[in-house]
Amino acid sequence: MAITLPKLKTENKTISAFIVPMIFVIHLHTFIGNTMSKNFSKNKLQNSDYSTLIEQIVHLSEAAKASAIKSVDTLLVKRNWLIGQHIVEFEQKGQNRAKYGEKLIPQLARDLSLRVGKGFSRSGLANMRLFYIRFQIFQALSGKLSWSHCIELISIENDSERAFYCEQSAIQKWSVRQLRNEIDRGLFY
């Protein structure tokens, strides 16, 4: 019996909805395999007591959890950017600019909430749309920032200022709170 998976059309490529979760699973499996072989093979004969075993397993578990959270957040940011891209392209219908006054976001929010559930409110979809508009080249983010960071950044209208805070957030590894404080403080100016 064949299983039909939903498809997502993007930039003339059809991607199975199965691919993104699979990439995550492969990434996690590779991470766990690499961590296990590094940590356990080095200490196999030297540290055979039970407390060392516990510490190694706890370390592995915590590292895998941190990696999983980072991977999921990266996928969430990419998903939200792609949703924003689809919304903008649908609105523009091949034109340079969209017509104003259309009620796409509220209708989309209602329909997606019914079909998918949480995560597709009016404000959420508006943020995804604005995210795509503000960051038309997704590689500029390249998995460095969380969706919460992106929400803070899209509120900045000045392109140079937004790029500055984006870069500094990634380099300095600012939390969302730190980013908000630096924006409020006017670090850019």
Side-chain angles (χ1 to χ4, degrees), residues 73-92:
D73 206 38
T74 299
L75 290 171
L76 177 67
V77 170
K78 180 67 173 179
R79 179 205 73 166
N80 292 347
W81 185 87
L82 287 169
I83 290 170
Q85 178 187 31
H86 287 294
I87 291 169
V88 168
E89 288 175 357
F90 182 86
E91 286 175 328
Q92 292 179 349

Side-chain angles (χ1 to χ4, degrees), residues 7-188:
K7 303 285 183 181
L8 171 65
K9 182 115 172 137
T10 176
E11 299 177 28
N12 298 325
K13 296 177 190 169
T14 302
I15 300 173
S16 169
F18 179 70
I19 301 245
V20 171
M22 262 325 270
I23 291 170
F24 170 71
V25 168
I26 291 167
H27 174 72
L28 186 59
H29 177 69
T30 303
F31 172 80
I32 289 171
N34 289 343
T35 303
M36 284 180 74
S37 62
K38 285 178 191 171
N39 290 339
F40 284 129
S41 62
K42 277 189 218 173
N43 303 323
K44 189 192 267 181
L45 297 174
Q46 298 168 350
N47 300 318
S48 61
D49 66 335
Y50 184 74
S51 62
T52 300
L53 175 64
I54 293 291
E55 288 305 314
Q56 289 173 330
I57 292 172
V58 166
H59 172 73
L60 173 64
S61 179
E62 289 172 352
K65 182 179 177 182
S67 180
I69 289 169
K70 176 87 172 130
S71 294
V72 168
D73 206 38
T74 299
L75 290 171
L76 177 67
V77 170
K78 180 67 173 179
R79 179 205 73 166
N80 292 347
W81 185 87
L82 287 169
I83 290 170
Q85 178 187 31
H86 287 294
I87 291 169
V88 168
E89 288 175 357
F90 182 86
E91 286 175 328
Q92 292 179 349
K93 294 182 174 102
Q95 304 299 315
N96 285 339
R97 300 189 81 164
K99 293 179 184 175
Y100 291 99
E102 293 187 31
K103 304 288 184 194
L104 176 64
I105 297 289
Q107 183 64 48
L108 201 53
R110 280 190 296 275
D111 293 341
L112 287 172
S113 292
L114 288 172
R115 294 215 29 211
V116 182
K118 292 183 179 181
F120 294 98
S121 65
R122 285 184 195 185
S123 62
L125 289 170
N127 283 335
M128 292 173 203
R129 179 184 175 280
L130 186 57
F131 179 46
Y132 173 74
I133 290 169
R134 297 272 202 248
F135 291 96
Q136 295 235 340
I137 300 172
F138 183 77
Q139 286 73 18
L141 296 172
S142 67
K144 298 175 189 171
L145 302 174
S146 71
W147 178 239
S148 298
H149 284 91
C150 295
I151 293 295
E152 292 298 322
L153 291 168
I154 63 174
S155 67
I156 301 171
E157 291 191 30
N158 180 300
D159 292 341
S160 299
E161 183 181 357
R162 187 178 337 100
F164 170 80
Y165 286 115
C166 182
E167 183 178 339
Q168 289 304 307
S169 292
I171 292 170
Q172 303 295 331
K173 298 185 187 324
W174 287 341
S175 67
V176 176
R177 179 180 285 168
Q178 287 171 304
L179 170 60
R180 193 175 304 125
N181 288 341
E182 296 302 341
I183 292 170
D184 290 345
R185 209 173 61 133
L187 180 65
F188 176 74

